[in-house]
Amino acid sequence: MGVALRGAGPILETRGATARFGAFTAVDGASYRLEEGETAGIIGPNGAGKSTFFNLITGLVLPAAGSIHLAGADVTRLPPHRRVKSGLVRTFQLVSVFDALPVLDNLTLAVIHADPSLASGPGFLLGSSRRGGLEEAGVAALDRVGLSAKANWLTSELSYGDKRKLEIGIALALRPRVLLLDEPFAGLSDHEIAEVLRLVKAIQGSLSMVIIEHKISHLLDMVSRLSVMHEGKIIAEGKPATVLEDPTVRRVYWGGGQGRGLVEARGTRKAEA
Amino acid sequence: MTGFLNSTAAARLRRFDLPILATLFLLLAWAISIQRATDFIIFCVFVLAYDLLYGHMGRLSFGHMLYLGTGAYAAALTAEHVSANPFVALLAALLAGGVVGLILSPITVRTTGACFALINLALNQVGYFLVLVALARWTGGEDGLAVTFSKVGPFDVGDKVMMFALALACLVGVVWLMRRLTDSPFGILLRSIKQNESRVRFLGYDVVRAKTLAFVLSTSLSAFAGGLSILNYAYVTPSFIDTGRNVEVIFASLIGGAGSVYGAVAGGVAYMLISNFLPNYVQRWEMFLGFALLLLIFKFRAGIWGSLVARFGPRRAEGT
Ligand SMILES: Nc1ncnc2c1ncn2[C@@H]1O[C@H](COP(=O)(O)OP(=O)(O)O)[C@@H](O)[C@H]1O
Ligand SMILES: [Mg+2]
């Protein structure tokens, strides 16, 4: 079944994926599908298991049960770098870039990964990392996220928002087929949020994307499908508007009060009894 | 504030780094004696090999004398049993370091921090025991081995000027190699691993492979330095593989400023100057070395080279 679906089936699929830390189950039998070219959202309160779900998909955490499939191929046991080779790329909730390197050097490995002819064999080992084509590719990747003017800065000197853009720039330079963004708007100013939002909208459709968000507001007009995680389970899924009307979802957010900010952001609180 | 050198001047100086380096060592030979300068040079090769792992990839080894010693014994045993040609011995040293590194890499490369340091130390201890006791029939145990090298054409390692020239040529070659290695995408890969190994995997790179390569390069070049020492001394003793001497290369690396090719050379020379000349003036000189190290750790984290660059080097674009 799996092999026959290649190309036609979902680009990313998890079947009953489960993550355990000791006796604690952080992700509990999550079955999820992402179609080619789709932009989907995952929301849920803090600690729901969203980031751990990404960790499962990308291989940072090995599943206690279930399987993960990329373009029809079972990647459950593949190490992270092999999944990246198959086009699965992610960012981290806490921005993760290389602070001690110049900004441009953060892109070098990514652009080479996408186009090995830029530095293959001896060129990778002994050729300058600042030579013609390689440097140009790096600067072009920086340009995409509006950071080319800061190419020679030390990364630690960037603002948090710029680091976030840099991390997205690195992810795009890897030429992903599937891009997983973990709370790309968290910790940014309104202005920076608008910038990142514009960036994400610009790439939408050219690749398949899953975006985790804590607040729904940024996602609503962007995603075709919204999934809600709660205590490790995907409790609801569908068109954003439908999902928000779902009684279980409303109980989770409005009953517990954890998701209050999320709902307020949409101004749908009027429905509360 | 701008540095003493702007970046184009620094880049121009860098183009001539190898002749400048060679000239400085010629001056050193003139100042302190040619045999001592040869010693210094060989030690610098070792520091460079060490710093590839420590400075660039962030792996502190407490057992690198094992790899230096591997090269030393490989060179001596080759001269004794295979060929008295010094270049053959040197090649044997390099290869032996590579083979030992490759065999041990599955054990060492997966570890980090204290574990990496101590595993290398433990392996070094095993190597020391092998040389001293288990393989004493071949290594000469505590007494070591005296070796004689043949002349290759007019070239004679017994001639101190020729030996100096050979060592200097090797150092220049190794500096060139290390500079290329660390300026390359591979260098970026090592520095990325140093900073956040797990993150590098999400850029699609096999970090185990990269770390293995760096480790084997480091053990090979350490062994190469060991082989050069044997060419220079014409004898080998267990002191070449003595775990107690690991501190020398660690200190040198720290003094110079870990993670910089020129820093490694500066650290190698500085350490050798201290350990060669301080004992003439001060009795327990090691204590002063200890104080110097404390000072380095707390006051001059960047080492000699790092401090020089900070003081006189080019600055990056200011403002904004
Ligand atoms: N490596 C880990 N070890 C132990 N517990 C973890 C680990 N990673 C995540 N968890 C736990 O799993 C739960 C889900 O965390 P996470 O996936 O980060 O939630 P979310 O991203 O939805 O806020 C939390 O209770 C968290 O403490
Ligand atoms: Mg999270």
Side-chain angles (χ1 to χ4, degrees):
Chain A
M1 183 174 86
V3 180
L5 282 174
R6 192 177 249 281
I11 182 90
L12 173 72
E13 184 181 8
T14 70
R15 296 180 197 151
T18 301
R20 288 204 186 93
F21 301 110
F24 175 71
T25 304
V27 176
D28 195 355
S31 291
Y32 187 81
R33 291 164 69 105
L34 181 73
E35 303 303 328
E36 182 117 47
E38 187 185 14
T39 302
I42 298 180
I43 60 165
N46 263 327
K50 306 181 297 294
S51 294
T52 307
F53 185 49
F54 272 12
N55 292 344
L56 274 176
I57 296 172
T58 56
L60 192 58
V61 168
L62 281 179
S67 61
I68 294 135
H69 307 261
L70 202 58
D74 189 334
V75 298
T76 314
R77 297 282 141 196
L78 282 191
H81 70 269
R82 297 276 302 278
R83 302 186 196 200
V84 178
K85 280 192 169 51
S86 321
L88 180 65
V89 173
R90 71 174 294 182
T91 64
F92 290 81
Q93 181 172 349
L94 277 176
V95 167
S96 181
V97 290
F98 298 96
D99 272 338
L101 301 183
V103 172
L104 182 58
D105 287 7
N106 271 269
L107 274 308
T108 307
L109 295 175
V111 298
I112 293 173
H113 178 271
D115 180 3
S117 74
L118 286 172
S120 55
F124 186 82
L125 278 180
L126 297 171
S128 166
S129 61
R130 293 297 177 98
R131 90 191 95 109
L134 189 50
E135 178 163 317
E136 272 165 34
V139 172
L142 275 178
D143 215 23
R144 233 174 141 181
V145 291
L147 284 175
S148 53
K150 297 175 181 172
N152 289 315
W153 285 35
L154 198 58
T155 305
S156 58
E157 291 168 351
L158 293 182
S159 69
Y160 192 75
D162 276 352
K163 284 187 192 178
R164 175 84 71 189
K165 284 191 268 175
L166 175 60
E167 194 183 23
I168 294 175
I170 295 170
L172 294 180
L174 289 165
R175 298 207 192 133
R177 292 180 74 185
V178 179
L179 179 59
L180 309 180
L181 300 173
D182 194 347
E183 301 205 22
F185 311 110
L188 302 192
S189 69
D190 286 347
H191 173 69
E192 290 166 337
I193 288 177
E195 284 182 324
V196 173
L197 211 50
R198 206 170 330 120
L199 203 65
V200 172
K201 280 180 179 158
I203 55 174
Q204 220 178 344
S206 66
L207 43 71
S208 318
M209 194 156 42
V210 185
I211 307 173
I212 289 178
E213 255 306 307
H214 187 56
K215 285 187 181 166
I216 302 179
S217 54
H218 309 305
L219 283 187
L220 277 178
D221 53 340
M222 208 159 44
V223 302
S224 55
R225 197 159 50 89
L226 196 61
S227 307
V228 183
M229 277 191 86
H230 179 60
E231 292 176 351
K233 292 194 174 73
I234 297 175
I235 56 165
E237 201 160 47
K239 292 236 174 300
T242 327
V243 167
L244 291 181
E245 296 304 316
D246 186 288
T248 331
V249 174
R250 297 169 66 144
R251 194 165 354 98
V252 166
Y253 281 112
W254 301 345
Q258 285 166 297
R260 193 148 288 205
L262 169 148
V263 176
E264 274 165 359
R266 272 300 284 167
T268 45
R269 258 196 111 200
K270 57 180 177 349
E272 192 169 7
Chain B
M1 190 169 115
T2 49
F4 176 71
L5 292 170
N6 62 32
S7 44
T8 37
R12 213 172 302 141
L13 259 183
R14 246 181 93 103
R15 283 236 307 276
F16 296 107
D17 60 343
L18 298 178
I20 292 172
L21 190 77
T23 310
L24 288 175
F25 273 99
L26 283 169
L27 286 173
L28 187 74
W30 171 74
I32 63 172
S33 95
I34 202 159
Q35 284 119 316
R36 273 206 161 131
T38 308
D39 253 4
F40 281 34
I41 289 170
I42 296 171
F43 183 63
C44 286
V45 173
F46 187 32
V47 180
L48 282 162
Y50 184 81
D51 201 45
L52 181 66
L53 278 189
Y54 173 50
H56 294 276
M57 207 173 75
R59 296 292 186 282
L60 182 68
S61 159
F62 286 168
H64 250 50
M65 287 302 289
L66 173 62
Y67 313 115
L68 184 92
T70 298
Y73 277 95
L77 291 170
T78 303
E80 176 117 334
H81 299 293
V82 183
S83 157
N85 184 322
F87 295 105
V88 173
L90 208 48
L91 187 66
L94 185 72
L95 291 178
V99 170
V100 167
L102 205 56
I103 292 171
L104 297 182
S105 65
I107 313 173
T108 57
V109 145
R110 276 161 210 281
T111 60
T112 54
C115 202
F116 180 80
L118 295 177
I119 278 187
N120 278 286
L121 180 61
L123 293 168
N124 195 163
Q125 201 70 54
V126 172
Y128 185 63
F129 169 79
L130 287 176
V131 159
L132 200 62
V133 183
L135 303 176
R137 247 185 73 199
W138 293 279
T139 62
E142 205 165 348
D143 301 330
L145 291 172
V147 284
T148 41
F149 290 104
S150 61
K151 285 190 188 177
V152 181
F155 185 81
D156 178 7
V157 287
D159 181 289
K160 60 189 182 186
V161 177
M162 289 193 202
M163 184 60 217
F164 171 80
L166 174 65
L168 188 54
C170 289
L171 177 67
V172 166
V174 171
V175 166
W176 177 85
L177 177 69
M178 296 301 288
R179 214 188 48 193
R180 295 292 295 264
L181 275 174
T182 54
D183 282 351
S184 70
F186 181 66
I188 293 180
L189 181 53
L190 295 189
R191 289 189 288 281
S192 302
I193 289 174
K194 175 183 185 175
Q195 243 210 309
N196 188 346
E197 183 177 330
S198 168
R199 184 68 176 88
V200 177
R201 297 188 291 163
F202 294 94
L203 300 177
Y205 288 80
D206 183 348
V207 287
V208 174
R209 232 177 79 190
K211 289 188 298 178
T212 302
L213 182 56
F215 184 71
V216 171
L217 279 167
S218 177
T219 59
S220 308
L221 287 174
S222 299
F224 183 72
L228 272 177
S229 301
I230 301 314
L231 263 54
N232 188 28
Y233 289 120
Y235 67 80
V236 63
T237 69
S239 77
F240 281 97
I241 197 170
D242 188 342
T243 46
R245 290 184 57 197
N246 280 302
V247 64
E248 296 174 3
V249 72
I250 301 172
F251 273 18
S253 207
L254 280 172
I255 292 173
S260 144
V261 172
Y262 307 119
V265 175
V269 171
Y271 179 85
M272 288 300 264
L273 282 173
I274 295 170
S275 68
N276 274 267
F277 294 101
L278 201 56
N280 295 350
Y281 308 104
V282 193
Q283 288 236 307
R284 305 294 341 162
W285 67 280
E286 295 94 337
M287 189 179 79
F288 287 87
L289 200 61
F291 282 129
L293 195 68
L294 286 177
L295 204 66
L296 277 168
I297 288 170
F298 288 112
K299 277 258 83 45
F300 303 101
R301 299 291 307 251
I304 296 177
W305 187 258
S307 305
L308 283 177
V309 170
R311 182 109 178 66
F312 300 112
R315 310 250 155 192
R316 256 167 312 98
E318 304 285 320
T320 43

